[in-house]
């Protein structure tokens, strides 16, 4: 990159104020990358303490969603549930009611495709631009800035914020109109849901057969069985590390959305239904705040 272009990019970054709402396991890393890239970052989350490290690094705290929206050119949200997304965007004290015309919104929460379409329509009616852009890659992808980002919305809005998305991810694809990003994330979660059962069963089988599961993993991850979950979460299972890179409770939320959307389309998803049933049982046993790899503890007890 030429020095002139680099300076021009830095000038754009310095002038663009990004508001980031939701400083959780992934949001914290994502907002940190934006700070390091030179953007001015405003933050809001329900528990201010979660933002302490970002504030120490130069982010600016805002007391309300409304205040953050008023002062931001781009607002990124990474919250928990569709109800949170709806409140943050469409509530009286929400983003759309208080943002400036021309503002861009990027909801990176895994949420409802129908809600994404509703937010897009409301934003457009107010002269604003909304994208649904859920992510995949977990806490590791967030920390290493190599998230997969699946976007839905207008191409012009997508291109306008793509440099910002590129700070947080490496596989960034516009899937179609509003809601398409969320539908793509449902495909992702459906594929993961049954794969997680397979990963757990493979490791348990290796242990029962008297094999070294780590050595087994080294062999099978390089072949047709290879997957992100096998290589990353499989190793956490073997180590007994059930800390959340992605919460069980949030995965249940995602599977619920996917099941409802599939039913609306008249699609049978028996593998997804089984996975949700197992995760519901894990949550009922007190595992809702563990990482999704904790499913192995449930299967091991059966």
């Amino acid at each position: 990159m030429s020095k002139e272009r680099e300076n021009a990019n830095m000038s754009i970054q310095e002038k663009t104020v990004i508001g980031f709402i939701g400083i959780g396991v992934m949001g914290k890393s994502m907002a940190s990358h934006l700070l390091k890239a030179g953007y001015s970052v405003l933050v809001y989350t329900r528990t201010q303490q979660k933002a302490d490290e970002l504030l120490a690094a130069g982010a600016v705290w805002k007391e309300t969603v409304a205040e953050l929206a008023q002062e931001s050119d781009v607002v990124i949200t990474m919250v928990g549930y569709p109800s949170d997304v709806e409140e943050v965007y469409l509530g009286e004290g929400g983003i759309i009611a208080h943002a400036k015309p021309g503002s861009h919104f990027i909801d990176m929460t895994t949420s409802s495709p129908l809600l994404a379409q509703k937010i897009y329509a409301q934003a457009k009616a107010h002269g604003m631009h909304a994208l649904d852009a859920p992510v995949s890659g977990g806490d590791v992808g967030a920390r290493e800035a190599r998230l997969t980002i699946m976007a839905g919305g207008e191409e012009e809005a997508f291109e306008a914020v793509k440099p910002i998305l590129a700070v947080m991810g490496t596989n960034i694809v516009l899937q179609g109109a509003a809601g398409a990003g969320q539908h793509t994330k449902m495909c992702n979660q459906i594929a993961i849901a049954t794969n997680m059962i397979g990963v757990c069963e493979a490791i348990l089988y290796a242990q029962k057969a008297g094999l070294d599961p780590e050595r087994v993993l080294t062999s099978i991850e390089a072949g047709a069985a290879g997957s992100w979950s096998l290589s990353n979460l499989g190793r956490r299972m073997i180590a007994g590390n059930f800390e959340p890179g992605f919460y069980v409770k949030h995965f249940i939320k995602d599977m619920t959305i996917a099941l409802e959307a599939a039913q609306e389309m008249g699609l049978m998803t028996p593998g997804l239904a089984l996975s949700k049933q197992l995760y519901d049982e894990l949550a009922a046993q007190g595992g809702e705040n563990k990482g999704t790899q904790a499913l192995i503890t449930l299967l091991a007890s059966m």
Side-chain angles (χ1 to χ4, degrees):
M1 181 184 293
S2 69
K3 193 67 178 177
E4 292 79 7
R5 186 174 177 184
E6 184 177 344
N7 290 338
N9 285 348
M10 284 302 298
S11 177
I12 291 169
Q13 290 165 350
E14 288 169 359
K15 292 176 182 178
T16 300
V17 178
I18 300 175
F20 205 108
I21 299 173
I23 310 300
V25 171
M26 296 176 66
K28 182 178 176 181
S29 294
M30 294 159 71
S32 174
H33 294 311
L34 295 170
L35 278 170
K36 291 173 184 175
Y39 288 102
S40 297
V41 179
L42 315 179
V43 295
Y44 171 83
T45 195
R46 288 173 179 169
T47 306
Q48 184 174 349
Q49 187 177 0
K50 291 183 178 179
D52 284 348
E53 288 184 32
L54 291 172
L55 299 179
V60 177
W61 174 257
K62 292 299 167 183
E63 292 292 337
T64 65
V65 169
E67 185 181 356
L68 180 144
Q70 288 168 350
E71 299 180 26
S72 300
D73 302 304
V74 177
V75 179
I76 298 173
T77 51
M78 188 68 168
V79 295
Y81 297 87
S83 58
D84 299 318
V85 174
E86 186 163 17
E87 179 183 355
V88 163
Y89 278 96
L90 303 178
E92 289 184 9
I95 295 167
I96 292 176
H98 296 277
K100 300 172 290 190
S103 297
H104 287 77
F105 312 137
I106 311 169
D107 182 31
M108 306 188 83
T109 316
T110 299
S111 183
S112 159
L114 290 176
L115 177 57
Q117 293 167 1
K118 183 177 180 181
I119 290 169
Y120 164 81
Q122 287 291 319
K124 188 168 186 177
H126 287 77
M128 303 165 187
H129 314 281
L131 294 170
D132 49 290
V135 302
S136 180
D139 58 329
V140 176
R143 284 197 306 271
E144 298 179 358
R146 52 180 180 82
L147 291 168
T148 288
I149 302 174
M150 313 157 220
E154 293 181 348
E155 185 171 2
E156 185 176 351
F158 172 74
E159 292 297 334
V161 301
K162 192 173 181 181
I164 293 172
L165 298 177
V167 173
M168 300 177 284
T170 55
N171 181 15
I172 306 163
V173 180
L174 179 64
Q175 295 290 339
Q182 297 296 353
H183 277 305
T184 303
K185 182 60 185 288
M186 292 304 105
C187 295
N188 185 83
Q189 300 306 74
I190 291 168
I192 288 174
T194 46
N195 184 41
M196 284 294 289
I197 298 173
V199 171
C200 294
E201 291 180 345
I203 291 172
L204 290 171
Y205 184 98
Q207 291 170 341
K208 287 289 186 181
L211 302 173
D212 177 347
E214 181 67 42
R215 187 173 296 179
V216 170
L217 197 61
T218 299
S219 289
I220 68 174
E221 69 181 346
S227 71
W228 188 94
S229 295
L230 183 68
S231 295
N232 291 274
L233 299 183
R235 286 192 164 82
R236 296 189 195 186
M237 292 175 190
I238 293 168
N241 175 6
F242 304 120
E243 289 301 306
F246 186 54
Y247 286 106
V248 165
K249 61 186 178 184
H250 289 161
F251 195 32
I252 291 172
K253 174 261 294 184
D254 294 356
M255 289 187 285
T256 300
I257 295 170
L259 281 167
E260 291 173 352
Q263 289 166 2
E264 288 170 4
M265 294 185 285
L267 177 66
M268 291 285 290
T269 52
L272 176 62
L274 173 59
S275 185
K276 182 177 179 297
Q277 177 185 331
L278 293 171
Y279 273 102
D280 282 338
E281 190 170 343
L282 176 60
Q285 293 181 9
E288 66 174 9
N289 288 314
K290 293 182 179 179
T292 52
Q293 69 274 18
L295 181 64
I296 195 170
T297 62
L298 176 70
L299 298 183
S301 69
M302 289 181 166

